[in-house]
Amino acid sequence: RRESMEKLRQFAAAHVLQDQLYYEKRVFPKLRKLFSRFETVCVMSESSVYRQEAARSKCKKKIQWIHIDYCEWKNKTAYNRKITKNDGELYRGFDRIVVLTEGIRETFLALYPHLRDQVVVNKNLIPTDQIRARAEPVQVKNKKAVRFVTVGRIDYQKAYPRLVRILAKLKQEGYQFRWTIIGGGKNEEITAVKRSIQKEQLGGWVKLLGELKNPYPQIKGADVFALLSDFEGIPNTIYEALTLGVPVLATDVGGVHTQVEDGVNGWLVENSESCIFEKLAWILMHPQEIERVGKNIETYEYDNEKIRKINAEIFQPVEKERDKNEKA
C-alpha cells in the first residue's frame, strides 16, 4: 500500500510538472505575443501567473495593480514566498506599479528601492452613484400583486433559470407579483431552481409546489397562467387554463400561436429574456387588461366534439374507409 501511494504521488507530480512545462513552452510565449499587440496591458493581481509574460511583452505601457498589503501578504505562505521570489527583478518590466496607500508604498519600496519611480498610489474606483441609488427604498410600481401560475415539468425546455432571472429583476425594480410553479422533475433540476430562487431572495415571491395530482384549483385561483418555455408543441396546459377562464401569457414557440390570440385570450411574447421582461412589466402595470381578457374567455369551450369526429374517422375500420374512397 505504501509503495502504491508513493507511485501515485510520483505520477501526480509528473503530471503537474508536465502541465507546467507545457504552459511554459506552448502557452506563455503565445501570450507574450498576444500582449505585445496592445498599447497597454494591465495585470490586475499581484499573484497572476501572467505577470512574467506581461513584463516581457513589447506593448508600450505595462501596469501592475497590487490590491493588498504586499509585504505582509508576500511572506504569509510558502506558495506566496515562491511566486514572489523574483519580484524585485520582475517588476522592472512594468512602467507603473499601483498600490493602495502611502504606507504600502513605503514598505514595498523598503524591499525594492530601485522601483521608486514606478510605484504610484491610487485607490479603487467606487460606483458611489449606484451605491446611493441602491440604498434607497424600492419604489413600488403596482400596488396590488398579480398572481401567476405555471404548470410544467422542471427541465430545460421550460426555461426556469431564465424565468427566475426575470422575476428577480422585476422584484428589484419594484413590481409586485406572486408566482406559483407546479411540476415535478429530476432532483438535480429542482434543486438548481430552488437554489436560484434562494439566491435571488425570491422566497416570498415564488413558490415551488412540486407535482400535484389536482393543479386546477391553483390555476383557477391565478390571475394569469404563464408558460414561458424555450420550445413547445401544443401544450395542453394552455387549453386547461383557458377552460378555467384564466388568461394565458406564453412565448411564441411551436404551435402556441394557434392556441393564444394576442390581446384576445392572452398574450404572445417573443422568446427572449428582454421581451419577456417587458411584457411582464406591462401586464403588471395594466391589471385592467387582465380583467378585459378574462371576460373574453368566460364562454370559452374546448372543441372536444370536433376532435372526437376526426378521431372516429382516423380509427374507422379499413373496409369502411375503402368504401368511402370508392364512392368518392
Side-chain angles (χ1 to χ4, degrees):
R1 184 179 176 183
R2 189 176 300 171
E3 288 178 4
S4 298
M5 290 302 295
E6 183 60 30
K7 286 179 181 177
L8 181 61
R9 279 193 290 269
Q10 289 176 5
F11 173 79
H15 182 69
V16 170
L17 181 61
Q18 192 175 28
D19 284 349
Q20 184 177 345
L21 290 172
Y22 176 82
Y23 268 82
E24 289 176 357
K25 290 182 178 180
R26 300 293 180 88
V27 178
F28 287 154
K30 290 181 181 179
L31 284 173
R32 197 181 314 159
K33 290 180 181 178
L34 174 65
F35 294 154
S36 297
R37 290 165 48 189
F38 296 91
E39 186 162 327
T40 303
V41 170
C42 293
V43 179
M44 300 306 294
S45 170
E46 56 281 341
S47 61
S48 172
V49 296
Y50 305 122
R51 294 182 306 153
Q52 185 168 298
E53 303 314 313
R56 291 177 177 177
S57 69
K58 295 179 181 179
C59 67
K60 293 182 179 178
K61 193 161 195 176
K62 292 167 272 189
I63 303 170
Q64 170 71 57
W65 242 271
I66 294 177
H67 291 280
I68 201 164
D69 187 334
Y70 178 86
C71 293
E72 184 178 341
W73 165 80
K74 182 181 187 301
N75 294 307
K76 275 291 183 183
T77 67
Y79 176 76
N80 290 3
R81 289 191 290 273
K82 178 182 176 182
I83 65 172
T84 60
K85 182 173 61 174
N86 298 318
D87 275 7
E89 188 60 30
L90 173 66
Y91 285 143
R92 288 181 186 272
F94 286 88
D95 301 284
R96 287 288 181 269
I97 302 164
V98 185
V99 297
L100 296 174
T101 69
E102 288 291 346
I104 294 173
R105 180 177 186 270
E106 291 308 312
T107 56
F108 183 86
L109 291 176
L111 279 178
Y112 311 126
H114 57 285
L115 300 175
R116 181 167 295 275
D117 293 339
Q118 292 153 255
V119 182
V120 296
V121 176
N122 199 18
K123 296 181 290 188
N124 296 323
L125 285 169
I126 299 293
T128 52
D129 291 343
Q130 187 180 27
I131 290 169
R132 291 190 186 101
R134 293 181 70 177
E136 293 297 320
V138 175
Q139 297 298 315
V140 175
K141 296 282 199 310
N142 56 312
K143 291 182 180 179
K144 185 178 179 181
V146 176
R147 297 164 299 171
F148 293 84
V149 64
T150 296
V151 179
R153 183 175 175 79
I154 309 296
D155 66 16
Y156 69 99
Q157 174 186 350
K158 306 299 182 183
Y160 287 112
R162 176 176 69 181
L163 175 61
V164 172
R165 289 195 301 271
I166 292 168
L167 297 185
K169 188 178 178 184
L170 287 168
K171 180 191 172 191
Q172 288 167 6
E173 295 194 9
Y175 292 99
Q176 303 298 303
F177 60 87
R178 295 296 180 268
W179 205 291
T180 300
I181 298 172
I182 300 169
K186 294 180 180 178
N187 288 335
E188 58 267 27
E189 300 279 357
I190 295 171
T191 300
V193 173
K194 284 181 178 178
R195 284 176 178 168
S196 62
I197 290 170
Q198 291 171 355
K199 180 183 176 183
E200 299 294 352
Q201 298 180 342
L202 288 168
W205 300 66
V206 180
K207 291 191 297 182
L208 280 176
L209 298 187
E211 189 172 4
L212 300 181
K213 290 183 178 179
N214 180 13
Y216 302 119
Q218 297 288 338
I219 298 174
K220 189 175 181 179
D223 300 309
V224 177
F225 177 86
L227 194 65
L228 300 168
S229 307
D230 192 35
F231 60 95
E232 283 288 355
I234 300 285
N236 282 338
T237 51
I238 287 180
Y239 291 132
E240 292 167 356
L242 295 174
T243 297
L244 294 171
V246 181
V248 174
L249 168 66
T251 41
D252 189 2
V253 295
V256 171
H257 66 279
T258 66
Q259 301 173 278
V260 180
E261 189 176 351
D262 192 45
V264 178
N265 60 357
W267 307 271
L268 282 174
V269 60
E270 185 181 321
N271 185 25
S272 76
E273 194 159 326
S274 60
C275 290
I276 295 169
F277 173 84
E278 289 171 10
K279 179 60 76 173
L280 277 170
W282 182 87
I283 290 171
L284 289 166
M285 295 302 292
H286 294 84
Q288 69 277 13
E289 284 297 299
I290 300 174
E291 186 177 350
R292 180 187 67 79
V293 172
K295 287 180 179 177
N296 288 346
I297 54 178
E298 284 178 351
T299 58
Y300 174 84
E301 289 291 337
Y302 188 65
D303 50 358
N304 275 317
E305 286 306 315
K306 181 180 178 181
I307 295 167
R308 287 193 186 99
K309 288 178 182 178
I310 296 172
N311 279 339
E313 292 178 4
I314 292 170
F315 290 102
Q316 70 180 342
V318 176
E319 292 79 8
K320 286 187 178 181
E321 187 172 356
R322 189 185 300 121
D323 293 341
K324 181 181 177 182
N325 292 335
E326 287 175 356
K327 288 179 182 179

